[in-house]
Amino acid sequence: MGKVAVGAAVVCAAAVCAAAALVVRHRIKSSRKWARALSILTEFEEKCGTPSSKLKQVADAMTVEMHAGLASEGGSKLKMIISYVDNLPTGDEKGLFYALDLGGTNFRVLRVHLGGKESRVVKQEFEEVSIPPHLMTGSSDELFDYIASALAKFVATESDNQHVSPGRQRELGFTFSFPVRQTSISSGTLIKWTKGFSVEDTVGQDVVGELTKAIERAGLDMRVAALVNDTVGTLAGGRYNNPDVVAAVILGTGTNAAYVERAHAIPKWHGLLPKSGEMVINMEWGNFRSSHLPLTEYDQALDAGSLNPGEQIFEKMISGMYLGEIVRRVLCKMAEEAAIFGDTVPPKLKIPFILRTPHTSAMHHDTSPDLKVVATKLKDILEISNTSLKLRKLIVEVCDIVATRGARLSAAGIVGILKKLGRDTVKDGENQKSVVALDGGLYEHYTKFRTCMENTLWELLGEEASENIAVEHSMDGSGIGAALLAASHSQYIEVEEP
């Protein structure tokens, strides 16, 4: 072999060695990065841990805070608001009732025909109306006149066999999903607007009074019989269908709970005790917090950057508004520190709330062998393509950790309520059934969340107590629930009773 050939061979060998070394280095670098990604995942999983022992501490803390919130105003992070609902529907209600559900940029008007024990809800109709943007920042009269006019048009569509009895006013349940200081079953002052509304002259006013004046200006003879929030409405709808319902929980974009309390167990109640001996309490449980909650650095960062830092901590860990955002924050850290999506962090991944809970739910439920749904969501939402199956599996694990923690904490909260009512254990000789009504998109559509929550409930209560506890889906508390509360608080009930 000539010198040139030998030289060429040496050069070639050197090049091959160098290339091999690069490959090895790349693999080592890749495996180091992957190891970092796995270590972030493991640490996150540990910090999110919800063993039964911890959940029982959370349930106990919920019960303690409930007692404190009932004892005095401002005594707890839980507001424990007295709803003034002391008559839940029984199923005997008859007649035509209306509901108005105002909770965002759209409102609904509903008409419900109740037929008593035998025929229940004979007929229900509704119409959805969107609020023009200029009215969301205009005057109180303009906003409520617009709502009353839509209500009047809807009332005008009553059919011949669908009228209230002669000489009687129509009655309406008003679901108003904004912060209100309730002063009676049919009055409450607006504390502040949220969700893009800024109608300044309504703040501090009685919202029922504002609506009533607008109804009168529209020439409508209608009385607002009940001012309710959607969770109390869900409780009413649940009780109407099942007399064993004792509490209601909404797990949707936000979260809340309401339950039936013995009136004498509310130290801050200074009025006459209601005839029923019961009072519905709107817990506002999203604001619950405890040192036992498994908070992570991602929760703390999310809270610090939110519009209400230090508030709604429980809600930020369990509700649909935030689960997708927690997943995004974990993936962002993995992208920054372990380069899971390549050398640069995908720009879209840096946008807060771009990854919504329906997206993470779809990825979590992906059963295709190659996790095609995960790949599609990453591409469509975050513009991340060419991901490996190994990486897609990692992302599903993150979704699972976040949803599991939220579902298990929700179950602990429910156990806290049952504990407060003394219904978390079986007492000798008692066979008392307790049903919790649930509603909300998260509960309804995120199957793995729902299943995990229900299984955790049985795990915490134990086999014996679980036999007497059930959860039921109670739909449309803000609509039908409000109409049912108008019926159970009708001014004509005394007239009909023998």
Side-chain angles (χ1 to χ4, degrees), residues 64-98:
V64 167
E65 289 298 320
M66 289 171 75
H67 277 283
L70 290 172
S72 62
E73 290 301 342
S76 162
K77 276 282 187 185
L78 292 180
K79 290 196 176 71
M80 302 300 282
I81 297 165
I82 293 167
S83 71
Y84 294 88
V85 170
D86 54 7
N87 285 312
L88 282 166
T90 58
D92 293 324
E93 293 78 14
K94 287 183 179 178
L96 196 65
F97 296 92
Y98 282 82

PDB file of all heavy atoms in Angstrom, residues 64-98:
ATOM      1  N   VAL A  64     -62.671  21.524  59.915  1.00  0.00           N
ATOM      2  CA  VAL A  64     -62.293  22.557  60.896  1.00  0.00           C
ATOM      3  C   VAL A  64     -62.602  23.950  60.345  1.00  0.00           C
ATOM      4  O   VAL A  64     -63.169  24.810  61.036  1.00  0.00           O
ATOM      5  CB  VAL A  64     -60.784  22.434  61.266  1.00  0.00           C
ATOM      6  CG1 VAL A  64     -60.290  23.670  62.019  1.00  0.00           C
ATOM      7  CG2 VAL A  64     -60.549  21.178  62.092  1.00  0.00           C
ATOM      8  N   GLU A  65     -62.231  24.178  59.068  1.00  0.00           N
ATOM      9  CA  GLU A  65     -62.480  25.492  58.437  1.00  0.00           C
ATOM     10  C   GLU A  65     -63.980  25.761  58.287  1.00  0.00           C
ATOM     11  O   GLU A  65     -64.420  26.903  58.390  1.00  0.00           O
ATOM     12  CB  GLU A  65     -61.782  25.575  57.076  1.00  0.00           C
ATOM     13  CG  GLU A  65     -60.261  25.665  57.148  1.00  0.00           C
ATOM     14  CD  GLU A  65     -59.770  26.920  57.869  1.00  0.00           C
ATOM     15  OE1 GLU A  65     -60.357  28.001  57.671  1.00  0.00           O
ATOM     16  OE2 GLU A  65     -58.818  26.804  58.652  1.00  0.00           O
ATOM     17  N   MET A  66     -64.759  24.714  58.035  1.00  0.00           N
ATOM     18  CA  MET A  66     -66.217  24.885  57.928  1.00  0.00           C
ATOM     19  C   MET A  66     -66.776  25.376  59.265  1.00  0.00           C
ATOM     20  O   MET A  66     -67.570  26.318  59.309  1.00  0.00           O
ATOM     21  CB  MET A  66     -66.882  23.559  57.524  1.00  0.00           C
ATOM     22  CG  MET A  66     -66.612  23.159  56.082  1.00  0.00           C
ATOM     23  SD  MET A  66     -67.185  21.481  55.714  1.00  0.00           S
ATOM     24  CE  MET A  66     -68.965  21.744  55.629  1.00  0.00           C
ATOM     25  N   HIS A  67     -66.350  24.751  60.366  1.00  0.00           N
ATOM     26  CA  HIS A  67     -66.788  25.183  61.706  1.00  0.00           C
ATOM     27  C   HIS A  67     -66.425  26.655  61.939  1.00  0.00           C
ATOM     28  O   HIS A  67     -67.245  27.435  62.418  1.00  0.00           O
ATOM     29  CB  HIS A  67     -66.118  24.319  62.786  1.00  0.00           C
ATOM     30  CG  HIS A  67     -66.814  23.021  63.032  1.00  0.00           C
ATOM     31  ND1 HIS A  67     -67.978  22.919  63.761  1.00  0.00           N
ATOM     32  CD2 HIS A  67     -66.508  21.760  62.649  1.00  0.00           C
ATOM     33  CE1 HIS A  67     -68.369  21.656  63.818  1.00  0.00           C
ATOM     34  NE2 HIS A  67     -67.488  20.921  63.156  1.00  0.00           N
ATOM     35  N   ALA A  68     -65.184  27.011  61.575  1.00  0.00           N
ATOM     36  CA  ALA A  68     -64.696  28.384  61.809  1.00  0.00           C
ATOM     37  C   ALA A  68     -65.489  29.396  60.976  1.00  0.00           C
ATOM     38  O   ALA A  68     -65.847  30.476  61.455  1.00  0.00           O
ATOM     39  CB  ALA A  68     -63.205  28.470  61.472  1.00  0.00           C
ATOM     40  N   GLY A  69     -65.789  29.049  59.727  1.00  0.00           N
ATOM     41  CA  GLY A  69     -66.530  29.949  58.847  1.00  0.00           C
ATOM     42  C   GLY A  69     -67.975  30.139  59.272  1.00  0.00           C
ATOM     43  O   GLY A  69     -68.577  31.182  59.034  1.00  0.00           O
ATOM     44  N   LEU A  70     -68.550  29.109  59.931  1.00  0.00           N
ATOM     45  CA  LEU A  70     -69.938  29.213  60.427  1.00  0.00           C
ATOM     46  C   LEU A  70     -70.006  30.001  61.730  1.00  0.00           C
ATOM     47  O   LEU A  70     -71.033  30.560  62.073  1.00  0.00           O
ATOM     48  CB  LEU A  70     -70.525  27.818  60.665  1.00  0.00           C
ATOM     49  CG  LEU A  70     -70.831  26.972  59.433  1.00  0.00           C
ATOM     50  CD1 LEU A  70     -71.228  25.564  59.849  1.00  0.00           C
ATOM     51  CD2 LEU A  70     -71.925  27.596  58.573  1.00  0.00           C
ATOM     52  N   ALA A  71     -68.871  30.027  62.448  1.00  0.00           N
ATOM     53  CA  ALA A  71     -68.855  30.674  63.765  1.00  0.00           C
ATOM     54  C   ALA A  71     -68.907  32.190  63.658  1.00  0.00           C
ATOM     55  O   ALA A  71     -69.588  32.865  64.431  1.00  0.00           O
ATOM     56  CB  ALA A  71     -67.618  30.247  64.544  1.00  0.00           C
ATOM     57  N   SER A  72     -68.165  32.750  62.690  1.00  0.00           N
ATOM     58  CA  SER A  72     -68.148  34.221  62.563  1.00  0.00           C
ATOM     59  C   SER A  72     -67.754  34.625  61.156  1.00  0.00           C
ATOM     60  O   SER A  72     -67.058  33.884  60.456  1.00  0.00           O
ATOM     61  CB  SER A  72     -67.136  34.817  63.554  1.00  0.00           C
ATOM     62  OG  SER A  72     -65.829  34.345  63.241  1.00  0.00           O
ATOM     63  N   GLU A  73     -68.201  35.817  60.756  1.00  0.00           N
ATOM     64  CA  GLU A  73     -67.829  36.348  59.448  1.00  0.00           C
ATOM     65  C   GLU A  73     -66.317  36.592  59.436  1.00  0.00           C
ATOM     66  O   GLU A  73     -65.774  37.182  60.362  1.00  0.00           O
ATOM     67  CB  GLU A  73     -68.559  37.668  59.159  1.00  0.00           C
ATOM     68  CG  GLU A  73     -70.047  37.511  58.918  1.00  0.00           C
ATOM     69  CD  GLU A  73     -70.423  36.614  57.751  1.00  0.00           C
ATOM     70  OE1 GLU A  73     -69.558  36.355  56.887  1.00  0.00           O
ATOM     71  OE2 GLU A  73     -71.569  36.148  57.709  1.00  0.00           O
ATOM     72  N   GLY A  74     -65.648  36.120  58.402  1.00  0.00           N
ATOM     73  CA  GLY A  74     -64.202  36.318  58.296  1.00  0.00           C
ATOM     74  C   GLY A  74     -63.407  35.395  59.204  1.00  0.00           C
ATOM     75  O   GLY A  74     -62.195  35.545  59.339  1.00  0.00           O
ATOM     76  N   GLY A  75     -64.084  34.414  59.816  1.00  0.00           N
ATOM     77  CA  GLY A  75     -63.398  33.508  60.740  1.00  0.00           C
ATOM     78  C   GLY A  75     -62.585  32.433  60.060  1.00  0.00           C
ATOM     79  O   GLY A  75     -61.839  31.697  60.699  1.00  0.00           O
ATOM     80  N   SER A  76     -62.748  32.343  58.722  1.00  0.00           N
ATOM     81  CA  SER A  76     -62.071  31.279  57.978  1.00  0.00           C
ATOM     82  C   SER A  76     -61.848  31.734  56.551  1.00  0.00           C
ATOM     83  O   SER A  76     -62.482  32.664  56.069  1.00  0.00           O
ATOM     84  CB  SER A  76     -62.960  30.033  57.976  1.00  0.00           C
ATOM     85  OG  SER A  76     -62.576  29.142  56.955  1.00  0.00           O
ATOM     86  N   LYS A  77     -60.955  31.032  55.854  1.00  0.00           N
ATOM     87  CA  LYS A  77     -60.786  31.261  54.412  1.00  0.00           C
ATOM     88  C   LYS A  77     -62.055  30.836  53.672  1.00  0.00           C
ATOM     89  O   LYS A  77     -62.325  31.276  52.557  1.00  0.00           O
ATOM     90  CB  LYS A  77     -59.590  30.458  53.879  1.00  0.00           C
ATOM     91  CG  LYS A  77     -58.243  31.148  54.057  1.00  0.00           C
ATOM     92  CD  LYS A  77     -58.050  32.223  52.997  1.00  0.00           C
ATOM     93  CE  LYS A  77     -56.653  32.815  53.024  1.00  0.00           C
ATOM     94  NZ  LYS A  77     -56.542  33.933  52.073  1.00  0.00           N
ATOM     95  N   LEU A  78     -62.830  29.934  54.305  1.00  0.00           N
ATOM     96  CA  LEU A  78     -64.118  29.528  53.736  1.00  0.00           C
ATOM     97  C   LEU A  78     -65.166  30.545  54.162  1.00  0.00           C
ATOM     98  O   LEU A  78     -65.379  30.755  55.359  1.00  0.00           O
ATOM     99  CB  LEU A  78     -64.530  28.141  54.246  1.00  0.00           C
ATOM    100  CG  LEU A  78     -63.705  26.934  53.796  1.00  0.00           C
ATOM    101  CD1 LEU A  78     -64.272  25.665  54.406  1.00  0.00           C
ATOM    102  CD2 LEU A  78     -63.680  26.810  52.281  1.00  0.00           C
ATOM    103  N   LYS A  79     -65.844  31.151  53.191  1.00  0.00           N
ATOM    104  CA  LYS A  79     -66.814  32.204  53.539  1.00  0.00           C
ATOM    105  C   LYS A  79     -68.070  31.636  54.210  1.00  0.00           C
ATOM    106  O   LYS A  79     -68.721  32.303  54.988  1.00  0.00           O
ATOM    107  CB  LYS A  79     -67.197  33.007  52.299  1.00  0.00           C
ATOM    108  CG  LYS A  79     -66.051  33.883  51.781  1.00  0.00           C
ATOM    109  CD  LYS A  79     -66.568  34.950  50.822  1.00  0.00           C
ATOM    110  CE  LYS A  79     -65.468  35.900  50.379  1.00  0.00           C
ATOM    111  NZ  LYS A  79     -64.506  35.295  49.465  1.00  0.00           N
ATOM    112  N   MET A  80     -68.437  30.405  53.867  1.00  0.00           N
ATOM    113  CA  MET A  80     -69.615  29.755  54.462  1.00  0.00           C
ATOM    114  C   MET A  80     -70.813  30.707  54.443  1.00  0.00           C
ATOM    115  O   MET A  80     -71.380  31.087  55.471  1.00  0.00           O
ATOM    116  CB  MET A  80     -69.308  29.284  55.891  1.00  0.00           C
ATOM    117  CG  MET A  80     -68.138  28.312  55.973  1.00  0.00           C
ATOM    118  SD  MET A  80     -68.363  26.786  55.027  1.00  0.00           S
ATOM    119  CE  MET A  80     -69.441  25.870  56.088  1.00  0.00           C
ATOM    120  N   ILE A  81     -71.201  31.111  53.239  1.00  0.00           N
ATOM    121  CA  ILE A  81     -72.246  32.128  53.054  1.00  0.00           C
ATOM    122  C   ILE A  81     -73.632  31.536  53.314  1.00  0.00           C
ATOM    123  O   ILE A  81     -73.984  30.476  52.797  1.00  0.00           O
ATOM    124  CB  ILE A  81     -72.170  32.702  51.622  1.00  0.00           C
ATOM    125  CG1 ILE A  81     -70.827  33.427  51.409  1.00  0.00           C
ATOM    126  CG2 ILE A  81     -73.336  33.629  51.325  1.00  0.00           C
ATOM    127  CD1 ILE A  81     -70.500  33.708  49.959  1.00  0.00           C
ATOM    128  N   ILE A  82     -74.395  32.251  54.131  1.00  0.00           N
ATOM    129  CA  ILE A  82     -75.786  31.854  54.397  1.00  0.00           C
ATOM    130  C   ILE A  82     -76.604  32.199  53.149  1.00  0.00           C
ATOM    131  O   ILE A  82     -76.652  33.350  52.727  1.00  0.00           O
ATOM    132  CB  ILE A  82     -76.323  32.583  55.644  1.00  0.00           C
ATOM    133  CG1 ILE A  82     -75.561  32.074  56.887  1.00  0.00           C
ATOM    134  CG2 ILE A  82     -77.816  32.397  55.792  1.00  0.00           C
ATOM    135  CD1 ILE A  82     -75.765  32.910  58.137  1.00  0.00           C
ATOM    136  N   SER A  83     -77.230  31.179  52.541  1.00  0.00           N
ATOM    137  CA  SER A  83     -77.907  31.406  51.247  1.00  0.00           C
ATOM    138  C   SER A  83     -79.346  31.884  51.410  1.00  0.00           C
ATOM    139  O   SER A  83     -79.967  32.317  50.450  1.00  0.00           O
ATOM    140  CB  SER A  83     -77.917  30.099  50.446  1.00  0.00           C
ATOM    141  OG  SER A  83     -78.820  29.188  51.047  1.00  0.00           O
ATOM    142  N   TYR A  84     -79.909  31.752  52.612  1.00  0.00           N
ATOM    143  CA  TYR A  84     -81.315  32.056  52.910  1.00  0.00           C
ATOM    144  C   TYR A  84     -82.273  31.063  52.255  1.00  0.00           C
ATOM    145  O   TYR A  84     -83.481  31.242  52.288  1.00  0.00           O
ATOM    146  CB  TYR A  84     -81.692  33.505  52.543  1.00  0.00           C
ATOM    147  CG  TYR A  84     -80.960  34.512  53.405  1.00  0.00           C
ATOM    148  CD1 TYR A  84     -79.705  34.991  53.032  1.00  0.00           C
ATOM    149  CD2 TYR A  84     -81.491  34.950  54.615  1.00  0.00           C
ATOM    150  CE1 TYR A  84     -79.010  35.888  53.840  1.00  0.00           C
ATOM    151  CE2 TYR A  84     -80.811  35.838  55.419  1.00  0.00           C
ATOM    152  CZ  TYR A  84     -79.566  36.305  55.031  1.00  0.00           C
ATOM    153  OH  TYR A  84     -78.878  37.177  55.834  1.00  0.00           O
ATOM    154  N   VAL A  85     -81.711  30.012  51.647  1.00  0.00           N
ATOM    155  CA  VAL A  85     -82.558  28.935  51.111  1.00  0.00           C
ATOM    156  C   VAL A  85     -82.817  27.969  52.267  1.00  0.00           C
ATOM    157  O   VAL A  85     -81.918  27.271  52.724  1.00  0.00           O
ATOM    158  CB  VAL A  85     -81.866  28.199  49.932  1.00  0.00           C
ATOM    159  CG1 VAL A  85     -82.636  26.936  49.558  1.00  0.00           C
ATOM    160  CG2 VAL A  85     -81.748  29.122  48.728  1.00  0.00           C
ATOM    161  N   ASP A  86     -84.064  27.981  52.764  1.00  0.00           N
ATOM    162  CA  ASP A  86     -84.397  27.077  53.870  1.00  0.00           C
ATOM    163  C   ASP A  86     -85.499  26.100  53.478  1.00  0.00           C
ATOM    164  O   ASP A  86     -85.943  25.291  54.284  1.00  0.00           O
ATOM    165  CB  ASP A  86     -84.798  27.862  55.132  1.00  0.00           C
ATOM    166  CG  ASP A  86     -85.914  28.858  54.877  1.00  0.00           C
ATOM    167  OD1 ASP A  86     -86.458  28.851  53.759  1.00  0.00           O
ATOM    168  OD2 ASP A  86     -86.243  29.644  55.784  1.00  0.00           O
ATOM    169  N   ASN A  87     -85.938  26.180  52.225  1.00  0.00           N
ATOM    170  CA  ASN A  87     -86.921  25.229  51.705  1.00  0.00           C
ATOM    171  C   ASN A  87     -86.413  24.674  50.380  1.00  0.00           C
ATOM    172  O   ASN A  87     -86.534  25.339  49.354  1.00  0.00           O
ATOM    173  CB  ASN A  87     -88.269  25.913  51.450  1.00  0.00           C
ATOM    174  CG  ASN A  87     -89.015  26.177  52.729  1.00  0.00           C
ATOM    175  OD1 ASN A  87     -89.132  25.293  53.563  1.00  0.00           O
ATOM    176  ND2 ASN A  87     -89.508  27.389  52.890  1.00  0.00           N
ATOM    177  N   LEU A  88     -85.855  23.499  50.411  1.00  0.00           N
ATOM    178  CA  LEU A  88     -85.433  22.885  49.147  1.00  0.00           C
ATOM    179  C   LEU A  88     -86.636  22.203  48.516  1.00  0.00           C
ATOM    180  O   LEU A  88     -87.572  21.795  49.222  1.00  0.00           O
ATOM    181  CB  LEU A  88     -84.298  21.883  49.401  1.00  0.00           C
ATOM    182  CG  LEU A  88     -82.924  22.534  49.621  1.00  0.00           C
ATOM    183  CD1 LEU A  88     -81.936  21.536  50.203  1.00  0.00           C
ATOM    184  CD2 LEU A  88     -82.365  23.131  48.330  1.00  0.00           C
ATOM    185  N   PRO A  89     -86.637  22.060  47.193  1.00  0.00           N
ATOM    186  CA  PRO A  89     -87.800  21.444  46.533  1.00  0.00           C
ATOM    187  C   PRO A  89     -88.031  20.000  47.012  1.00  0.00           C
ATOM    188  O   PRO A  89     -87.076  19.300  47.336  1.00  0.00           O
ATOM    189  CB  PRO A  89     -87.436  21.466  45.046  1.00  0.00           C
ATOM    190  CG  PRO A  89     -86.150  22.172  44.919  1.00  0.00           C
ATOM    191  CD  PRO A  89     -85.618  22.501  46.256  1.00  0.00           C
ATOM    192  N   THR A  90     -89.293  19.616  47.018  1.00  0.00           N
ATOM    193  CA  THR A  90     -89.657  18.272  47.511  1.00  0.00           C
ATOM    194  C   THR A  90     -90.145  17.362  46.387  1.00  0.00           C
ATOM    195  O   THR A  90     -90.232  16.156  46.557  1.00  0.00           O
ATOM    196  CB  THR A  90     -90.785  18.376  48.534  1.00  0.00           C
ATOM    197  OG1 THR A  90     -91.904  19.018  47.885  1.00  0.00           O
ATOM    198  CG2 THR A  90     -90.371  19.187  49.745  1.00  0.00           C
ATOM    199  N   GLY A  91     -90.502  17.974  45.254  1.00  0.00           N
ATOM    200  CA  GLY A  91     -91.103  17.184  44.179  1.00  0.00           C
ATOM    201  C   GLY A  91     -92.600  17.429  44.084  1.00  0.00           C
ATOM    202  O   GLY A  91     -93.258  17.040  43.125  1.00  0.00           O
ATOM    203  N   ASP A  92     -93.159  18.087  45.125  1.00  0.00           N
ATOM    204  CA  ASP A  92     -94.610  18.364  45.112  1.00  0.00           C
ATOM    205  C   ASP A  92     -94.945  19.630  44.322  1.00  0.00           C
ATOM    206  O   ASP A  92     -96.121  19.907  44.075  1.00  0.00           O
ATOM    207  CB  ASP A  92     -95.119  18.557  46.553  1.00  0.00           C
ATOM    208  CG  ASP A  92     -95.038  17.268  47.356  1.00  0.00           C
ATOM    209  OD1 ASP A  92     -95.264  16.207  46.758  1.00  0.00           O
ATOM    210  OD2 ASP A  92     -94.721  17.337  48.568  1.00  0.00           O
ATOM    211  N   GLU A  93     -93.926  20.406  43.964  1.00  0.00           N
ATOM    212  CA  GLU A  93     -94.162  21.727  43.336  1.00  0.00           C
ATOM    213  C   GLU A  93     -94.944  21.587  42.017  1.00  0.00           C
ATOM    214  O   GLU A  93     -94.659  20.702  41.208  1.00  0.00           O
ATOM    215  CB  GLU A  93     -92.824  22.426  43.072  1.00  0.00           C
ATOM    216  CG  GLU A  93     -92.061  22.835  44.321  1.00  0.00           C
ATOM    217  CD  GLU A  93     -91.329  21.693  45.011  1.00  0.00           C
ATOM    218  OE1 GLU A  93     -91.176  20.613  44.395  1.00  0.00           O
ATOM    219  OE2 GLU A  93     -90.917  21.877  46.167  1.00  0.00           O
ATOM    220  N   LYS A  94     -95.891  22.511  41.847  1.00  0.00           N
ATOM    221  CA  LYS A  94     -96.699  22.514  40.611  1.00  0.00           C
ATOM    222  C   LYS A  94     -96.767  23.920  40.051  1.00  0.00           C
ATOM    223  O   LYS A  94     -96.726  24.900  40.809  1.00  0.00           O
ATOM    224  CB  LYS A  94     -98.131  22.059  40.911  1.00  0.00           C
ATOM    225  CG  LYS A  94     -98.264  20.570  41.182  1.00  0.00           C
ATOM    226  CD  LYS A  94     -99.726  20.210  41.401  1.00  0.00           C
ATOM    227  CE  LYS A  94     -99.870  18.711  41.637  1.00  0.00           C
ATOM    228  NZ  LYS A  94    -101.258  18.340  41.909  1.00  0.00           N
ATOM    229  N   GLY A  95     -96.895  24.013  38.738  1.00  0.00           N
ATOM    230  CA  GLY A  95     -97.105  25.321  38.115  1.00  0.00           C
ATOM    231  C   GLY A  95     -95.999  25.698  37.143  1.00  0.00           C
ATOM    232  O   GLY A  95     -95.094  24.918  36.839  1.00  0.00           O
ATOM    233  N   LEU A  96     -96.107  26.943  36.683  1.00  0.00           N
ATOM    234  CA  LEU A  96     -95.173  27.470  35.680  1.00  0.00           C
ATOM    235  C   LEU A  96     -94.199  28.416  36.368  1.00  0.00           C
ATOM    236  O   LEU A  96     -94.622  29.357  37.044  1.00  0.00           O
ATOM    237  CB  LEU A  96     -95.985  28.217  34.614  1.00  0.00           C
ATOM    238  CG  LEU A  96     -95.273  28.531  33.294  1.00  0.00           C
ATOM    239  CD1 LEU A  96     -94.927  27.256  32.544  1.00  0.00           C
ATOM    240  CD2 LEU A  96     -96.155  29.416  32.425  1.00  0.00           C
ATOM    241  N   PHE A  97     -92.904  28.161  36.200  1.00  0.00           N
ATOM    242  CA  PHE A  97     -91.891  29.009  36.836  1.00  0.00           C
ATOM    243  C   PHE A  97     -90.796  29.369  35.833  1.00  0.00           C
ATOM    244  O   PHE A  97     -90.517  28.600  34.906  1.00  0.00           O
ATOM    245  CB  PHE A  97     -91.294  28.302  38.058  1.00  0.00           C
ATOM    246  CG  PHE A  97     -92.302  28.072  39.144  1.00  0.00           C
ATOM    247  CD1 PHE A  97     -93.032  26.889  39.199  1.00  0.00           C
ATOM    248  CD2 PHE A  97     -92.555  29.059  40.087  1.00  0.00           C
ATOM    249  CE1 PHE A  97     -93.996  26.691  40.170  1.00  0.00           C
ATOM    250  CE2 PHE A  97     -93.524  28.876  41.063  1.00  0.00           C
ATOM    251  CZ  PHE A  97     -94.237  27.688  41.107  1.00  0.00           C
ATOM    252  N   TYR A  98     -90.203  30.533  36.077  1.00  0.00           N
ATOM    253  CA  TYR A  98     -89.161  31.025  35.182  1.00  0.00           C
ATOM    254  C   TYR A  98     -87.806  31.057  35.894  1.00  0.00           C
ATOM    255  O   TYR A  98     -87.735  31.070  37.124  1.00  0.00           O
ATOM    256  CB  TYR A  98     -89.513  32.439  34.696  1.00  0.00           C
ATOM    257  CG  TYR A  98     -90.543  32.432  33.600  1.00  0.00           C
ATOM    258  CD1 TYR A  98     -91.900  32.325  33.897  1.00  0.00           C
ATOM    259  CD2 TYR A  98     -90.169  32.515  32.262  1.00  0.00           C
ATOM    260  CE1 TYR A  98     -92.856  32.297  32.890  1.00  0.00           C
ATOM    261  CE2 TYR A  98     -91.115  32.488  31.245  1.00  0.00           C
ATOM    262  CZ  TYR A  98     -92.448  32.384  31.561  1.00  0.00           C
ATOM    263  OH  TYR A  98     -93.383  32.351  30.555  1.00  0.00           O
TER     264      TYR A  98
END
